[in-house]
Amino acid sequence: MEEFLCTVFIIVTLAMTIFIVTFSNKSRCSRQQISNSYVVQSIQARINNIEKTLDEKIIQLSILNSKLSEQIEELKCVNADLYRSASRDGLTNINNRYAFLQKFESHLAQVQKNDSFIFTIISIDLDNFKYYNDTYGHATGDMILINVCTIFKKCIRNIDFLARDGGDEFMILLTPASTKQTKVIAQQILSKLRRDKGFSNELSAFIGKTIIIPHKYQISCSIGIIECNHITLQNYSSPAQILKRVDDALYNAKKAGKCRICVVN
């Protein structure tokens, strides 16, 4: 009997031990599952927050990119305006000396690359312009300069380059053009200025009374011409020397009696 009770006790003890161990394992497994579930949820929440933040940043970057594009376009417009301001004459709205020099040097580079490339330069200085300024004032002088530019534009071609060199001096770059073609254009300029008789009609309308300019004081111009080709580059050591040579021709024309054309040989 005692042996039987001992056996039963042992069996019951073993059963309870097995039950306790099994329950403990299940409880541990359940806690582990709960813990794992919490970690997954936590990670998912962080991912969701990151995705939300990323979406917000993408929207912000898109807005910034749009604003940057607008600013770039504005800067392009500003740069274009600055270039126009730097390269245009404020009074006559034609090219200025800076723009002419850029064009001139660009054409010289073309001559160096291509022996057949040829262009000419017309250098112009107005005759009797001082009379208009001294007699009728600088506003009248400005009006004369604007009207002179209108005549120049009518005489040259669309492909030619007109610039104000300063004061009452102008430069015209003709491409392509030979000396013979350039002389024809220069002669047209002289003829049109003579026909305008000193801009008497324009001056009368500007001042508000009839003005007749005496012949000896009427606006005309003295002109120097030089042809630029590969031979020219061999004869002159620098662009400045070429420009000085055409200026010398202009003043030779003025010394010879004004309203004349002098060509550099």
Side-chain angles (χ1 to χ4, degrees):
M1 185 67 176
E2 290 180 357
E3 291 178 1
F4 175 75
L5 290 175
C6 287
T7 301
V8 171
F9 176 77
I10 292 170
I11 292 171
V12 171
T13 301
L14 287 172
M16 290 183 65
T17 301
I18 292 170
F19 173 77
I20 292 170
V21 171
T22 300
F23 179 79
S24 176
N25 288 337
K26 287 184 178 180
S27 177
R28 189 181 301 112
C29 182
S30 177
R31 287 197 302 272
Q32 184 65 39
Q33 289 176 346
I34 293 172
S35 177
N36 289 342
S37 176
Y38 175 77
V39 170
V40 170
Q41 290 176 358
S42 177
I43 293 173
Q44 186 62 50
R46 292 182 64 184
I47 291 174
N48 291 339
N49 287 335
I50 292 172
E51 289 178 345
K52 181 180 179 181
T53 302
L54 185 59
D55 289 341
E56 292 174 350
K57 293 297 182 182
I58 290 173
I59 293 173
Q60 291 175 0
L61 285 174
S62 178
I63 294 172
L64 288 174
N65 185 58
S66 178
K67 290 182 178 179
L68 182 60
S69 298
E70 291 176 359
Q71 290 176 348
I72 289 173
E73 291 302 317
E74 289 176 1
L75 285 174
K76 287 181 179 179
C77 292
V78 170
N79 287 336
D81 289 340
L82 287 174
Y83 177 78
R84 280 192 293 270
S85 298
S87 61
R88 306 294 289 183
D89 177 62
L91 174 64
T92 60
N93 198 35
I94 63 174
N95 301 292
N96 61 14
R97 179 174 176 81
Y98 169 76
F100 172 81
L101 291 177
Q102 283 193 318
K103 196 77 169 178
F104 173 55
E105 292 179 1
S106 172
H107 277 44
L108 288 180
Q110 289 292 325
V111 173
Q112 291 176 331
K113 295 177 183 177
N114 183 1
D115 287 350
S116 63
F117 189 82
I118 182 173
F119 67 96
T120 56
I121 296 173
I122 296 177
S123 181
I124 301 173
D125 184 82
L126 298 183
D127 301 324
N128 303 319
F129 179 71
K130 186 175 183 298
Y131 169 81
Y132 290 79
N133 262 344
D134 292 348
T135 306
Y136 302 105
H138 290 285
T140 299
D142 290 346
M143 181 272 291
I144 294 297
L145 291 174
I146 294 170
N147 279 276
V148 165
C149 285
T150 300
I151 287 179
F152 293 160
K153 291 175 183 177
K154 290 178 179 178
C155 295
I156 64 177
R157 306 164 299 180
N158 291 334
I159 58 175
D160 299 327
F161 193 86
L162 171 64
R164 185 183 179 194
D165 198 34
D168 60 341
E169 298 180 357
F170 299 86
M171 305 291 281
I172 304 174
L173 194 152
L174 300 94
T175 311
S178 64
T179 298
K180 183 178 179 180
Q181 293 170 317
T182 305
K183 286 178 69 176
V184 171
I185 292 175
Q187 191 60 55
Q188 288 176 355
I189 290 173
L190 293 181
S191 298
K192 284 185 178 295
L193 284 175
R194 278 195 294 264
R195 285 199 298 269
D196 266 293
K197 297 180 180 180
F199 297 103
S200 293
N201 292 335
E202 291 83 355
L203 186 57
S204 297
F206 185 77
I207 294 178
K209 63 180 181 179
T210 301
I211 300 291
I212 298 177
I213 304 296
H215 183 269
K216 66 177 181 178
Y217 294 128
Q218 290 179 4
I219 278 283
S220 62
C221 65
S222 299
I223 295 177
I225 295 175
I226 189 169
E227 183 177 302
C228 298
N229 51 40
H230 67 284
I231 297 176
T232 308
L233 295 186
Q234 295 172 6
N235 293 335
Y236 300 97
S237 60
S238 69
Q241 283 192 346
I242 297 174
L243 295 179
K244 183 180 184 306
R245 190 69 185 89
V246 72
D247 277 344
D248 289 344
L250 181 156
Y251 288 109
N252 287 337
K254 192 173 285 289
K255 289 176 183 177
K258 301 180 180 179
C259 194
R260 299 174 186 270
I261 300 170
C262 182
V263 179
V264 176
N265 295 323

